[in-house]
Amino acid sequence: MNNFIQRQLGSTKILVHILICIFAIASWADLNGMWAELPLLVMKVKEGWNLPSYIIIISQVANIGPLIFVVVSFLQPQLKPRLEKITSFVIILISMVASFLTAFFWEQSSYIGGVEHSVALLTLNFFLALGDCTSSVSFYAFMSHMKPEYMASLFIGEGLSGMLPALIALGQGAGQINCINSSSQVNETLPDGTSFIKTVYNVFPQYVEPSFSVRVFFIILSGIIALSAVAFLLLNFWSYCKSEMVVAPPDEKYKVPPSSGANGADYGSMDTSKLVSDAEKSLLKGQDGPYTAEQSTVDETNGELVNGHNHSPSLLDVNQSNSGNQLIKSEQGSSSSLTLSDQHTHSELSSLSYASLLGIIVIINMTVTAFLPSIQIYTVLPYGLEYYHLTTTLTQIANPVSCFFSLFLMAENIGIILVMTALGEVCVGYLIYVASTSPEPPLHDVTTGGELALALWIVLTALLTYSKVCCASVLRKQGRNALIFAGAATQTGALIGAIVGFVLVNEYHLFADAPFC
């Protein structure tokens, strides 16, 4: 099994994949934890069941974080890669501290305009959202300095950022409800004045007492984010991980320094003076492509060229094929090769393809990340409480599983991505229709209805998560700026979906609640 996984991962390192997953858990773990604890929070905070509306609005205000990052990134390009590295570490620290403070101050309230509000909780929620929203651009930008094969691991970690808090809350018992049968005696009077006592039977929901407190939950959450901080430090400072970073981001020109240059390779360049003759260098100069180099450094101790695919023990020949691709190959005829400027394999995307990928990311995040969760209860609760619990749990599992699958099979054909997205959105459309007909949706009186809704939730989560990973994989080969745009598209979609969901649910009241019991 280990050999199979290693073959699929190629020259990448399993431990680095794991560290990237742990690092990415910090992306949304704290805010997902807030949502997981909602059933316990609303019973004690002053806002009650209006709290979700406050969380949504505050989270959208926090989009000022990624906006600032994008503006600074384009106005001060010389700051990379320090900008994304420092920003990513700072927002992890903010998330960790805010989660820890939430554990102790979530019940504190103050009066604003004569109305009592949970000021501490809402303030800390802003900082949680600030870190999470900004991670959509800073984490993506950081990954532009890693080999493209590691992109899927980032999304596995993002999936785990929802799954882990959900599983912890499940073990805690947050949101679990028992339906209690009760009876009461009431006096009834007939038209002729005769009175009698009537027994009335009722069923009402009762929340299960949690296994541990909200404080313990957020302390555990802050500990998980602390592990993410450690993983991020190892990725940046441990030589074992640093060897998996690219020398030059793919959206910069491939530059060969003069033969009199320094021995070491600078950021944004590759020193090949010890391996390639001056005549061969001329073939490499000025090569500019969307994916120009993964990594190429000279090992001073043994004279090996370490690249993103293989460690070649011998001197290298530079061959130019008739198609104009320059490949560095070993004398031993190894099948692995480093594409320096491959106009066919890693060609620049057309404007239409580029816009299509960003549009797909916007649509997926608009529906799956923001809008659909806001109406989830209306899509499955009418079929029974057990289907609601299964949906919230299994969709959190389907997300990282889809990302893990992409490690072994990545679809980079835009046509295939469009088809998968369309199929996922068909499922979304049906569930929106189900929500609009709540509390009596189609097939509500048979078990098939609940099973169908549950299956569609799992299928759409798997399809659209996989499509999003594939989009990011294609854009990763277009360079750092493309990933920043992907992060911006992610937050744009989430913003649109959150606003639409808030308006339809809270202002127009288009969806009717179904009873828990």
Side-chain angles (χ1 to χ4, degrees):
M1 182 64 180
N2 289 336
N3 291 335
F4 170 76
I5 294 176
Q6 188 61 61
R7 285 198 306 271
Q8 294 298 319
L9 297 181
S11 65
T12 59
K13 300 176 180 178
I14 295 178
L15 183 54
V16 177
H17 281 282
I18 294 173
L19 289 175
I20 291 175
C21 287
I22 297 174
F23 149 63
I25 289 174
S27 58
W28 291 95
D30 43 14
L31 208 53
N32 285 327
M34 181 81 75
W35 285 103
E37 285 294 275
L38 207 57
L40 299 180
L41 296 176
V42 297
M43 290 190 291
K44 292 190 177 182
V45 298
K46 305 305 176 183
E47 291 76 14
W49 277 105
N50 289 324
L51 180 63
S53 301
Y54 285 94
I55 292 177
I56 290 173
I57 294 301
I58 291 173
S59 297
Q60 302 318 309
V61 174
N63 275 304
I64 187 68
L67 178 62
I68 292 174
F69 180 89
V70 171
V71 171
V72 173
S73 181
F74 282 97
L75 293 181
Q76 301 291 330
Q78 72 275 12
L79 294 178
K80 61 182 179 182
R82 289 176 299 163
L83 177 63
E84 45 264 36
K85 291 184 178 181
I86 294 174
T87 302
S88 296
F89 187 66
V90 168
I91 62 178
I92 292 176
L93 292 181
I94 290 175
S95 298
M96 181 181 66
V97 173
S99 296
F100 188 78
L101 293 177
T102 301
F104 295 93
F105 299 104
W106 69 274
E107 288 187 273
Q108 301 296 319
S109 61
S110 303
Y111 284 90
I112 300 177
V115 180
E116 193 173 9
H117 286 286
S118 305
V119 176
L121 178 64
L122 297 177
T123 302
L124 290 169
N125 175 68
F126 170 78
F127 286 102
L128 295 178
L130 180 67
D132 293 357
C133 293
T134 309
S135 72
S136 293
V137 287
S138 67
F139 284 15
Y140 284 22
F142 170 74
M143 290 303 297
S144 70
H145 306 292
M146 303 294 294
K147 292 179 182 178
E149 292 85 351
Y150 290 109
M151 197 68 201
S153 298
L154 180 78
F155 286 97
I156 294 176
E158 284 192 355
L160 292 174
S161 73
M163 178 179 167
L164 289 180
L167 293 179
I168 296 172
L170 189 64
Q172 179 192 27
Q176 293 190 11
I177 298 173
N178 287 333
C179 292
I180 307 299
N181 293 313
S182 67
S183 61
S184 59
Q185 305 291 327
V186 296
N187 290 320
E188 290 283 346
T189 303
L190 296 176
D192 61 1
T194 304
S195 297
F196 65 96
I197 297 176
K198 180 181 178 181
T199 302
V200 178
Y201 297 94
N202 297 296
V203 179
F204 65 92
Q206 183 181 65
Y207 282 102
V208 177
E209 190 68 24
S211 303
F212 50 87
S213 65
V214 173
R215 173 175 295 184
V216 173
F217 177 87
F218 279 103
I219 289 176
I220 294 174
L221 211 56
S222 62
I224 293 174
I225 299 173
L227 290 178
S228 297
V230 173
F232 185 70
L233 291 175
L234 290 174
L235 287 171
N236 282 278
F237 295 105
W238 187 16
S239 58
Y240 177 85
C241 301
K242 289 175 68 177
S243 65
E244 298 300 282
M245 289 187 173
V246 297
V247 172
D251 53 356
E252 289 190 356
K253 286 188 176 182
Y254 186 91
K255 301 175 182 178
V256 177
S259 58
S260 59
N263 291 332
D266 296 328
Y267 181 84
S269 64
M270 183 179 80
D271 187 354
T272 59
S273 58
K274 294 183 178 182
L275 301 173
V276 186
S277 67
D278 289 338
E280 292 166 334
K281 285 181 190 177
S282 63
L283 294 174
L284 300 175
K285 282 189 178 182
Q287 296 298 326
D288 187 12
Y291 179 36
T292 51
E294 288 181 12
Q295 177 189 2
S296 203
T297 57
V298 177
D299 188 332
E300 299 295 343
T301 60
N302 56 21
E304 292 181 6
L305 177 69
V306 184
N307 59 55
H309 295 282
N310 67 307
H311 293 199
S312 177
S314 59
L315 293 179
L316 306 178
D317 299 323
V318 178
N319 299 321
Q320 183 173 15
S321 65
N322 293 332
S323 60
N325 300 332
Q326 285 75 38
L327 303 175
I328 297 181
K329 300 179 180 179
S330 68
E331 285 181 347
Q332 297 175 346
S334 172
S335 60
S336 298
S337 61
L338 171 63
T339 303
L340 299 181
S341 181
D342 191 333
Q343 297 302 323
H344 300 290
T345 305
H346 299 299
S347 60
E348 286 196 42
L349 291 174
S350 65
S351 298
L352 179 59
S353 298
Y354 202 101
S356 297
L357 291 172
L358 294 179
I360 290 172
I361 293 174
V362 170
I363 292 172
I364 291 175
N365 284 279
M366 180 179 66
T367 53
V368 177
T369 304
F371 178 70
L372 214 52
S374 68
I375 63 170
Q376 184 181 61
I377 194 169
Y378 306 106
T379 64
V380 285
L381 188 57
Y383 299 108
L385 191 59
E386 66 276 11
Y387 288 112
Y388 176 66
H389 285 310
L390 283 172
T391 299
T392 55
T393 302
L394 294 180
T395 52
Q396 296 291 355
I397 296 174
N399 188 309
V401 169
S402 299
C403 298
F404 184 75
F405 177 76
S406 67
L407 279 175
F408 306 100
L409 182 61
M410 182 72 72
E412 297 187 348
N413 182 284
I414 297 179
I416 295 176
I417 296 174
L418 284 170
V419 170
M420 291 190 298
T421 304
L423 291 175
E425 293 300 329
V426 169
C427 299
V428 171
Y430 177 79
L431 290 175
I432 293 175
Y433 170 71
V434 168
S436 67
T437 57
S438 177
E440 295 184 356
L443 305 175
H444 71 280
D445 52 352
V446 293
T447 57
T448 308
E451 293 168 356
L452 177 61
L454 174 61
L456 289 177
W457 265 102
I458 296 173
V459 169
L460 76 88
T461 300
L463 280 175
L464 296 182
T465 299
Y466 183 71
S467 296
K468 184 170 66 172
V469 176
C470 293
C471 288
S473 177
V474 175
L475 291 172
R476 165 64 183 87
K477 293 180 173 65
Q478 303 302 307
R480 175 180 181 271
N481 290 345
L483 283 180
I484 291 178
F485 281 126
T490 297
Q491 288 309 115
T492 300
L495 173 63
I496 296 172
I499 293 175
V500 172
F502 179 83
V503 172
L504 295 183
V505 173
N506 296 282
E507 298 298 327
Y508 290 96
H509 306 285
L510 294 184
F511 307 100
D513 293 323
F516 282 99
C517 299

